[in-house]
Amino acid sequence: MNAHGSFEGLERLPRDAINELPPQDAPAGLIAALDRKGWCVIRKAADSLPGFRQFVSSLHVPIAERYGDLPRSGAADVFRTTPYPPEEDLLFHNEASHTSKVPKYLFFYCHRAAETGGATPISDGVRALDLLDRTIADTLRRHGLTYRRRFVDGLDVAWQDYFDTDDPAEVERHCRRDGLVSSWTDDGVLQVDYSTLAIGCLPDGRQSMFHQVALHHPAFLADEIREYFSAYDPQGCTPRNVLLGDGTPLSDEWARDILAAQNRAGQYFVWERGDVLALDNRVYAHGRMRFSGSRENYVIMSALEAVKDVCSTGF
Ligand SMILES: [Fe+2]
């Protein structure tokens, strides 16, 4: 359970506010509507996985064929949504914002709706930024964020599996290529840092939150899990963390304030089979509410691009 983080106070998107496009208008209008409004729902867009793929192909946007964070569905460019315990909320995140290559657009498809729960919350990053305390916003803007991963034996995945090599020199090369900073502690723990923006500048000049604080910050772990991780790590750290970009800690209080702003700028979408939800990943963060039943959702992403080209820091 996320002891300190959940989707509090979100409202359901009212049926008459759903930014719906009839399927026949989708190819022509969807991308323009996405760039204008940030999200669109297309009811009954597809009734199968191939149908979903065909629907997205008809939009003529380049599609991402590789993405390490999600399992494939069988088709090369259609992914299962994040495998995460159904009894827990998957908190807000902009897809891949903790990496150097990010997609502009996300297309989610509901093949089987959950029995209960399983809605997709979305949060407007421009509005969330407006709602955030000025000091926190200015600090995020100035410093960005550093996502830190520590490969402690027995916790999370082994570095050898993650980097697909047993050779530390190969890890070093990989990290240099992807803009990561790797180091080894005296205890033999590999630590990898990636520093990037927390607030992006959109093509129209607006600024928007763009991060995964709620997925990486230990403030959102249950107390017993946080304590277990900290006891296990020689330096008392968690396997994943997020710091301010100057290397100083992002406090629990600030992390919670950031999620609270996202919640205040959030709404949730309740799925029916066949729905496609298209999101502008630069503007809208997304998550997944806890559920019961055999929910089956898929995602196609537009091609991964360098983060500076998708969401520039040119304030
Ligand atoms: Fe996601």
Side-chain angles (χ1 to χ4, degrees), residues 21-309:
L21 290 175
Q24 65 272 22
D25 292 344
L30 181 57
I31 299 300
L34 263 185
D35 284 339
R36 208 169 49 246
K37 297 180 177 174
W39 63 276
C40 291
V41 170
I42 304 91
R43 298 272 185 193
K44 297 185 172 48
D47 59 6
S48 66
L49 222 48
F52 170 47
R53 198 159 177 266
Q54 196 179 353
F55 175 82
V56 178
S57 301
S58 73
L59 304 175
H60 303 297
V61 291
I63 298 302
E65 292 180 1
R66 295 168 136 265
Y67 186 64
D69 271 3
L70 295 176
R72 290 182 189 279
S73 66
D77 45 15
V78 183
F79 301 92
R80 298 292 298 254
T81 48
T82 305
Y84 199 74
E87 65 278 10
E88 294 185 25
D89 290 331
L90 177 64
L91 299 176
F92 280 126
H93 57 284
N94 296 88
E95 197 65 39
S97 56
H98 63 309
T99 72
S100 59
K101 296 271 184 79
V102 303
K104 264 185 205 159
Y105 307 119
L106 306 173
F107 306 94
F108 295 99
Y109 160 62
C110 177
H111 192 61
R112 188 180 299 139
E115 247 164 58
T116 61
T120 290
I122 61 174
S123 175
D124 179 341
V126 174
R127 215 172 138 238
L129 184 58
D130 273 349
L131 293 166
L132 187 63
D133 172 88
R134 286 300 93 196
T135 305
I136 303 175
D138 288 344
T139 307
L140 291 178
R141 197 177 285 113
R142 190 161 356 109
H143 294 300
L145 293 166
T146 296
Y147 296 92
R148 172 165 294 171
R149 195 147 179 178
R150 285 171 60 79
F151 295 87
V152 177
D153 272 352
L155 290 183
D156 214 334
V157 63
W159 65 263
Q160 291 90 338
D161 293 331
Y162 186 81
F163 290 100
D164 198 21
T165 179
D166 289 330
D167 180 4
E170 180 56 34
V171 171
E172 180 86 5
R173 277 193 290 279
H174 178 119
C175 288
R176 224 177 298 125
R177 191 190 65 216
D178 289 355
L180 306 166
V181 177
S182 63
S183 57
W184 296 84
T185 67
D186 294 342
D187 303 295
V189 173
L190 172 63
Q191 177 172 298
V192 175
D193 286 351
Y194 178 65
S195 297
T196 187
L197 52 83
I199 294 170
C201 191
L202 302 168
D204 62 8
R206 290 178 304 156
Q207 294 179 19
S208 182
M209 281 200 192
F210 190 75
H211 61 77
Q212 299 206 351
V213 166
L215 288 196
H216 287 77
H217 200 284
F220 305 111
L221 293 173
D223 290 340
E224 62 273 20
I225 293 176
R226 187 173 187 174
E227 280 160 22
Y228 173 77
F229 282 152
S230 301
Y232 213 99
D233 185 292
Q235 290 186 17
C237 302
T238 49
R240 295 172 197 219
N241 205 335
V242 58
L243 317 169
L244 292 170
D246 63 355
T248 57
L250 175 64
S251 69
D252 288 8
E253 190 190 345
W254 279 26
R256 288 185 194 124
D257 284 351
I258 290 167
L259 179 62
Q262 289 181 292
N263 278 339
R264 287 175 66 199
Q267 292 177 294
Y268 66 92
F269 172 65
V270 177
W271 292 97
E272 287 174 23
R273 182 184 158 89
D275 290 345
V276 166
L277 168 65
L279 280 188
D280 185 333
N281 185 45
R282 296 168 294 184
V283 183
Y284 275 88
H286 64 278
R288 191 223 64 207
M289 289 179 165
R290 62 192 71 178
F291 68 93
S292 67
S294 49
R295 181 185 192 268
E296 205 179 324
N297 275 28
Y298 294 88
V299 61
I300 294 178
M301 286 172 285
S302 66
L304 304 183
E305 300 175 58
V307 65
K308 63 177 170 40
D309 296 333

